[in-house]
Amino acid sequence: MKVPFFDLVRQFDPIRKEIQSSLDELFKTQQFILGSQVGFLEKAMAEYCRIRYAVGVASGSDALFLALIALDIGPGDEVILPSFTFFATAGAVSRAGALPVFADIDPETYNLDPQDFEKRITPRTKAVIPVHLYGQCADMEAIVEISKARQISVIEDAAQALGAEYKRSSDSSARRAGQMGDIACFSFFPTKNLGAFGDAGLVASDDGELAEKVRILRVHGSHPKYYHKLIGINSRIDTIQAAILQVKLKHLETWTSERQKGAKRYELLLGDLFSSLAGAKLPETQYENRHIFNQYVIRVSERDQLRQFLQEQGVGTEIYYPVPLHLQECFSSLNYHQGDLPNSEKASREVLALPIFPELRQEEQDYVVDRIKAFYKKQ
Ligand SMILES: *Cc1c(COP(=O)(O)O)cnc(C)c1O
């Protein structure tokens, strides 16, 4: 048997007709730049995320960059972020001309460690970017509290966490990813839970002024047309992508619950084995969170051997992420060294993402589990 790491073809087939008719509407009007579907998607996304304003942009990476620029973050400013994340989180900070300051993660959730964040605050710290990695919210209560006390802006990188919820039990209305900071960034990269047919992203905020600034910045800072008070960039979400995402958003809850079922099954089938392996760990959902499992990431000390074995057996896996950002060559001038952020470094050596997409079949999942067990029998 061969089990792909993910398979977007399976997701497309059942919604082909809906997508085609949405695209036909657009093709009739030929409004490819900021056509009416962009506004419809922004409204639907704001509602889904329970955030007042949403602005569609060209990618999740641009969403982060535009959020930073809207907050007037630039040269001389420091922005704290976890070292264990996708490159874009840090790339946006450097593109804005500010200094990325890397903090360590909590080894249980792989999300920003609030204490380590607090330790790295200086008078130049202007913002923090907690990342809700793999689909589980970072410990936002602690992060927001520290940030408020020090007047630091909170930019949520919710690229992997659309629809995730934080601490569902502590009050009656659970807070969704993106609702807890000053501004939030989402990505519709094809492998995210809500994926476009190319690149696309979104910035969301309850602060109307901030959202309006992003809206202006995504059209070169032009407002009114051809008058520039700000220097922006060209970063609009394509109307084509908005037309596709509008259709796909209606299916998101179903897809998310399929991912959650898959995660439950892995836990059931792998729980005994993992509790018997030293240093091994299945994903842990903390603080009554709603984890949306953009990725299902296990931790094992013999990660590379296991990945090699699974590959030989026809099982696709991925490593998110093999090099923590503080040790990336492009940041060598920042003078971080091996050992500076031990939890991030250890995670980079030990994490392995298993197939978890909504259309993954039970017999495929059984095969993945069976092959993992076979690997440990050999050991
Ligand atoms: C995907 C992702 C991004 C960037 O989104 P793009 O749409 O690919 O530019 C940023 N941060 C994280 C954590 C991501 O996973």
Side-chain angles (χ1 to χ4, degrees):
M1 192 188 284
K2 267 203 166 0
V3 183
F5 181 63
F6 64 87
D7 182 355
L8 291 168
V9 175
R10 293 186 203 175
Q11 185 173 75
F12 177 59
D13 278 339
I15 58 171
R16 180 192 300 266
K17 283 217 170 72
E18 273 181 284
I19 300 250
Q20 277 169 345
S21 76
S22 181
L23 287 175
D24 273 344
E25 283 305 304
L26 166 61
F27 294 159
K28 273 187 226 155
T29 65
Q30 296 284 304
Q31 287 184 344
F32 295 118
I33 304 296
L34 298 178
S36 55
Q37 286 90 343
V38 171
F40 297 144
L41 177 75
E42 288 174 344
K43 191 161 174 292
M45 279 294 296
E47 218 162 90
Y48 183 80
C49 296
R50 303 177 191 150
I51 303 175
R52 216 167 283 152
Y53 308 99
V55 185
V57 298
S59 68
S61 304
D62 275 6
L64 288 159
F65 175 73
L66 290 166
L68 288 158
I69 299 299
L71 288 163
D72 292 319
I73 289 163
D77 298 333
E78 294 176 3
V79 177
I80 300 175
L81 68 146
S83 174
F84 191 64
T85 174
F86 179 56
F87 178 79
T89 320
V93 175
S94 295
R95 269 171 85 197
L99 186 72
V101 174
F102 297 110
D104 213 351
I105 53 164
D106 166 4
E108 309 297 322
T109 61
Y110 309 103
N111 280 326
L112 180 64
D113 172 357
Q115 266 95 53
D116 200 63
F117 150 51
E118 187 167 27
K119 274 199 331 220
R120 292 170 199 278
I121 296 173
T122 75
R124 285 183 296 277
T125 307
K126 285 285 155 58
V128 59
I129 313 183
V131 180
H132 307 314
L133 203 69
Y134 306 144
Q136 170 165 232
C137 290
D139 188 1
M140 292 302 288
E141 219 160 70
I143 292 165
V144 168
E145 190 183 307
I146 294 163
S147 304
K148 277 217 170 102
R150 311 289 287 265
Q151 292 177 320
I152 292 167
S153 298
V154 179
I155 302 169
E156 292 183 61
D157 182 341
Q160 298 181 11
L162 179 59
E165 288 173 14
Y166 175 69
K167 287 201 178 175
R168 280 145 75 81
S169 68
S170 64
D171 56 55
S172 52
S173 60
R175 284 147 299 170
R176 283 222 156 155
Q179 272 192 309
M180 297 166 278
D182 296 289
I183 193 163
C185 303
F186 295 90
S187 164
F188 304 117
F189 185 81
T191 61
K192 303 290 156 82
N193 282 31
L194 180 61
F197 287 14
D199 281 308
L202 188 102
V203 179
S205 178
D206 281 328
D207 181 334
E209 247 173 75
L210 207 51
E212 184 57 20
K213 207 164 160 192
V214 172
R215 202 172 281 286
I216 293 168
L217 285 167
R218 77 172 168 182
V219 289
H220 297 290
S222 164
H223 182 70
K225 209 171 182 183
Y226 304 125
Y227 290 79
H228 299 258
K229 254 188 286 191
L230 302 165
I231 301 173
I233 57 171
N234 172 356
S235 182
R236 299 157 297 229
I237 191 170
D238 281 326
T239 316
I240 286 193
Q241 301 302 350
I244 290 162
L245 289 165
Q246 243 184 293
V247 170
K248 292 187 76 175
L249 180 57
K250 294 181 199 136
H251 300 274
L252 179 60
E253 285 299 289
T254 311
W255 290 332
T256 297
S257 86
E258 289 304 318
R259 284 173 185 270
Q260 290 168 329
K261 272 186 219 158
K264 269 232 161 66
R265 268 194 103 235
Y266 273 134
E267 194 176 313
L268 203 72
L269 299 170
L270 288 171
D272 284 348
L273 171 66
F274 270 64
S275 54
S276 74
L277 296 171
K281 202 172 152 37
L282 295 176
E284 187 175 313
T285 305
Q286 286 194 341
Y287 351 100
E288 314 268 343
N289 286 343
R290 180 191 192 222
H291 194 320
I292 57 127
F293 290 101
N294 178 242
Q295 298 299 342
Y296 189 88
V297 176
I298 63 170
R299 175 198 277 275
V300 289
S301 34
E302 48 293 304
R303 189 264 317 272
D304 293 335
Q305 295 91 308
L306 175 61
R307 184 171 197 221
Q308 176 69 32
F309 177 77
L310 290 175
Q311 192 187 329
E312 287 159 12
Q313 305 290 312
V315 175
T317 60
E318 260 306 336
I319 297 171
Y320 302 115
Y321 298 93
V323 182
L325 297 184
H326 70 286
L327 299 179
Q328 291 286 356
E329 198 176 330
C330 66
F331 293 126
S332 59
S333 64
L334 302 180
N335 267 312
Y336 288 89
H337 299 101
Q338 191 84 40
D340 285 347
L341 302 172
N343 294 338
S344 300
E345 292 163 25
K346 191 161 190 287
S348 293
R349 290 191 298 269
E350 297 185 342
V351 294
L352 187 66
L354 303 180
I356 190 70
F357 56 99
E359 301 78 12
L360 182 67
R361 300 177 188 117
Q362 282 205 2
E363 60 270 27
E364 291 175 322
Q365 206 181 6
D366 290 341
Y367 181 71
V368 175
V369 168
D370 180 68
R371 292 298 84 199
I372 293 172
K373 288 184 173 166
F375 173 79
Y376 283 103
K377 253 196 207 113
K378 279 196 317 160
Q379 295 280 300

